[in-house]
Amino acid sequence: MKIEKEAERILNKFSEALNQIPDLEETQYVVDNVNRTREDEKVSKNPEKILRNAHVDADGKVIAEKGKWVK
């Protein structure tokens, strides 16, 4: 019974708060830049920089952990 009264009190407070919200007209796409795209850019890649922190064995092969999903 106490829970029902508390729930009713919360709903009443929420309803009062909703009544205080002014009615506004809905607006869409306030800004002009909808669905803007950009040109693809070629990004230079430096393998030495990428492999700088990789674990490498004596033969120069990268040591990586096997995926846990692979049996």
Side-chain angles (χ1 to χ4, degrees), residues 7 20-21 28 37 39-41 55-56 59-62 65 67-69 71:
Q20 295 175 5
I21 297 174
Q28 295 180 350
T37 59
E39 295 296 321
D40 289 335
E41 297 176 3
H55 297 286
V56 182
D59 296 329
K61 298 177 184 173
V62 176
E65 181 180 336
K68 293 180 181 179
W69 63 89
K71 291 183 180 181

Side-chain angles (χ1 to χ4, degrees), residues 8-19:
E8 187 173 336
R9 185 184 70 77
I10 291 170
L11 286 174
N12 287 336
K13 286 181 79 173
F14 182 68
S15 178
E16 289 173 12
L18 287 177
N19 286 333

Side-chain angles (χ1 to χ4, degrees), residues 25-38:
E25 290 185 30
E26 186 174 332
T27 57
Q28 295 180 350
Y29 304 116
V30 177
V31 291
D32 235 7
N33 58 357
V34 178
N35 295 330
R36 293 262 174 145
T37 59
R38 63 176 171 80

Side-chain angles (χ1 to χ4, degrees), residues 17 33 38 42 44 48 51-52 56-57 60 63-64 71:
N33 58 357
R38 63 176 171 80
K42 182 179 178 183
S44 62
E48 292 175 4
L51 296 174
R52 186 180 299 155
V56 182
D57 66 3
I63 301 171
K71 291 183 180 181

